[in-house]
Amino acid sequence: MRKIIVLVFTTLLIFASVNIANAEVTESGKVKKEGYATTEDILINLIEPDLNKIITDKYGIEKTWQIGKVIKVSLIADHTKKNSEYWYEMIINVRVHDDEIDKELWDSLCIRIDIPNMYTMDKYKERNTDTKVTLITYEQLGQR
């Protein structure tokens, strides 16, 4: 019986130390790992510095925060002008950590994301890649 317990424990120890992650070392010596990211993850990573500035401006100091949920993303097309304008409007709930009361606060941000050359005839010719993020509304929802 003791041999069986030692055998099972050894087998579990061997399989527990096996790395299931997919990684390889390239010729230059850099480690290449494959991961999974959604389109939402990519969009958030692109606008994260702008979101951090908006939250810092609202609270007056830099806070620790993270995305709680993306509520809505809309593509807005304004054809009332000679040159039509297109932008994304996004509503995001964020969790902001308040160090003073040691709690998380929920805030709701509505932002406008202007992407240059979107839906223009020259979108492949022009190289303007400056995405502009503008705050539309900021609502502090309180503790949750």
Side-chain angles (χ1 to χ4, degrees), residues 53-65:
K53 182 179 180 334
I54 290 169
I55 293 169
T56 301
D57 289 348
K58 186 67 176 178
Y59 283 95
I61 59 170
E62 191 164 324
K63 297 273 191 181
T64 305
W65 62 274

Side-chain angles (χ1 to χ4, degrees), residues 5-129:
I5 293 173
V6 170
L7 181 64
V8 169
F9 180 72
T10 306
T11 306
L12 288 174
L13 186 62
I14 289 171
F15 284 116
S17 64
V18 173
N19 189 357
I20 300 175
N22 184 12
E24 65 182 67
V25 179
T26 62
E27 292 176 9
S28 64
K30 295 180 180 175
V31 176
K32 177 184 172 187
K33 285 187 172 182
E34 288 186 23
Y36 176 77
T38 64
T39 52
E40 184 177 298
D41 295 332
I42 295 168
L43 179 61
I44 294 298
N45 283 331
L46 290 173
I47 64 171
E48 196 170 27
D50 296 307
L51 291 176
N52 191 48
K53 182 179 180 334
I54 290 169
I55 293 169
T56 301
D57 289 348
K58 186 67 176 178
Y59 283 95
I61 59 170
E62 191 164 324
K63 297 273 191 181
T64 305
W65 62 274
Q66 81 185 99
I67 299 292
K69 184 175 183 180
V70 175
I71 304 298
K72 184 178 180 183
V73 179
S74 304
L75 174 61
I76 309 295
D78 182 4
H79 298 295
T80 60
K81 300 177 181 175
K82 181 179 180 189
N83 293 329
S84 296
E85 287 186 27
Y86 300 92
W87 68 87
Y88 289 102
E89 195 168 289
M90 183 182 237
I91 301 173
I92 307 169
N93 283 354
V94 294
R95 292 186 309 222
V96 181
H97 184 74
D98 191 346
D99 294 327
E100 293 175 9
I101 60 174
D102 197 28
K103 299 221 178 193
E104 284 190 345
L105 306 173
W106 281 86
D107 294 352
S108 179
L109 288 78
C110 182
I111 56 174
R112 174 181 169 152
I113 305 168
D114 289 304
I115 300 173
N117 310 328
M118 187 167 61
Y119 298 118
T120 63
M121 299 298 282
D122 300 326
K123 72 178 183 180
Y124 298 117
K125 294 177 185 174
E126 293 186 31
R127 302 278 185 221
N128 186 1
T129 58

